[in-house]
Amino acid sequence: MEPFSYHAFVCTQEKAEGVPCCATAGSFSVLGALHGALGKQGLADEVQVSSCGCLGICDSGPVMVVYPEGIWYTKLTPADVPEVVASHFKDGKKVARLERSDSAEMKAEMFDHHNKYLAMLKGKDAAGVLPDDVNEMIRGFMPSRAVLTALELDVFTAVGKGGTAQQVAGKIQAAVRATEMLLNALVSLNLLEKRDGVYSNTAVSARFLAEGTPDTARAAQLHIANVWKRWSTLTEAVKAGSSVVQRNEDGWVKTFIAAMDHTARGRARAVAHAAGVKGAKRQLDHGGGSGAN
Ligand code: FES
């Protein structure tokens, strides 16, 4: 007996720049829309949603496979999701216009994709190219730096319910072109959405990264921006055998307290929720504390 009526796998595989994949085709937005639509239809407990790696038909992304029937939906957009939820998950009728059912062709495409992938790995190895995972490790700071800069400039609050690059740049008092590049980077990190030149927060960034919400973590995460400055001098610190950073005590202490306060509050809320203490979250949000977050 299955614990759920349906199990939907959404491919969120990311690949090197220029290589087609579901992530760049928008699968994270589809995933977000799916969770939202299932919640709205009261089906969140009936449909298990899992993100997954490459399903082998990358040119048809974003791809979602639904079991038990094994229906392959391809080239999905967030706008398609409410129809899939209402028709397939609620009424049990697949959405034929979004289904890819040419199984033989799909299988051939998957094999071809797999063989090309193996050939590429072999070719790279023979050519002495740095392995992808090591390359990614070395560049791993880039997404983090983009988010920290956005937090320092309070970009998510400035984006609010939506704005163009020019409007956001005006609010954070920054150069328009550079702001646009940062906003685009945040879109690729799935922390903003962009439609017709207008940027808006995702559910996660609106809740956790913008100011003025009960769960905002911005002030606390600014501590990590301070930690970043120290980590950036690691080379010199290793040579010298001690820290080489003159730290700004005021800024450091303020963000450190905010981070500790946020962590303690989060743990207390989690414990209170687990114990079913009614009103605990509200009390922790408004009842005393340092107010640092
Ligand atoms: S990246 Fe999604 S099917 Fe290959």
Side-chain angles (χ1 to χ4, degrees):
M1 174 91 176
E2 294 284 344
F4 301 98
S5 303
Y6 295 101
H7 196 161
F9 291 88
V10 180
C11 173
T12 53
Q13 180 74 54
E14 296 179 50
K15 295 198 174 175
E17 212 179 323
V19 181
C21 68
C22 289
T24 47
S27 60
F28 284 101
S29 301
V30 168
L31 196 59
L34 184 59
H35 283 297
L38 288 170
K40 265 191 201 155
Q41 294 275 3
L43 293 169
D45 290 345
E46 285 304 315
V47 182
Q48 171 78 332
V49 177
S50 303
S51 52
C52 66
C54 182
L55 293 161
I57 49 169
C58 319
D59 286 322
S60 300
V63 180
M64 173 170 79
V65 191
V66 178
Y67 293 102
E69 304 100 316
I71 303 293
W72 288 63
Y73 289 121
T74 57
K75 301 198 176 193
L76 283 173
T77 68
D80 295 322
V81 170
E83 186 183 351
V84 174
V85 170
S87 176
H88 194 145
F89 299 137
K90 196 155 186 241
D91 296 341
K93 291 179 203 144
K94 69 180 183 186
V95 182
R97 73 175 182 89
L98 298 169
E99 186 195 10
R100 199 163 157 196
S101 55
D102 49 338
S103 339
E105 231 171 89
M106 278 166 67
K107 205 166 178 178
E109 214 173 303
M110 285 170 198
F111 276 125
D112 183 51
H113 172 268
H114 186 64
N115 290 337
K116 276 187 187 152
Y117 178 69
L118 291 181
M120 181 198 70
L121 287 185
K122 228 171 152 184
K124 275 172 116 176
D125 187 57
V129 175
L130 190 67
D132 285 349
D133 54 345
V134 179
N135 200 10
E136 268 171 37
M137 196 191 305
I138 292 170
R139 292 160 184 270
F141 70 93
M142 292 177 180
S144 169
R145 186 58 258 177
V147 180
L148 290 174
T149 293
L151 290 170
E152 286 181 323
L153 295 173
D154 204 2
V155 163
F156 301 102
T157 309
V159 167
K161 293 200 184 304
T164 62
Q166 190 156 18
Q167 288 166 335
V168 176
K171 285 186 189 169
I172 63 172
Q173 300 187 327
V176 176
R177 177 68 189 127
T179 301
E180 187 176 13
M181 289 165 77
L182 177 62
L183 294 174
N184 288 339
L186 296 169
V187 170
S188 73
L189 294 171
N190 301 303
L191 289 173
L192 289 180
E193 284 167 0
K194 183 182 182 184
R195 194 162 291 169
D196 300 329
V198 174
Y199 298 87
S200 56
N201 282 306
T202 62
V204 168
S205 58
R207 181 179 173 190
F208 296 108
L209 304 180
E211 289 285 7
T213 71
D215 294 327
T216 182
R218 177 177 173 258
Q221 293 308 317
L222 286 176
H223 175 59
I224 304 300
N226 276 337
V227 172
W228 167 280
K229 288 172 191 139
R230 305 193 85 191
W231 276 78
S232 298
T233 60
L234 183 60
T235 307
E236 290 77 11
V238 169
K239 279 190 188 172
S242 65
S243 172
V244 295
V245 177
Q246 286 285 346
R247 77 185 188 197
N248 166 353
E249 287 299 338
D250 281 356
W252 182 276
V253 169
K254 197 173 161 199
T255 59
F256 177 75
I257 290 172
M260 295 304 106
D261 178 78
H262 189 264
T263 304
R265 238 174 241 263
R267 284 188 186 152
R269 280 181 190 172
V271 169
H273 270 284
V277 180
K278 283 189 184 157
K281 184 174 182 297
R282 194 162 24 88
Q283 281 170 21
L284 285 161
D285 287 338
H286 305 294
S290 69
N293 70 338

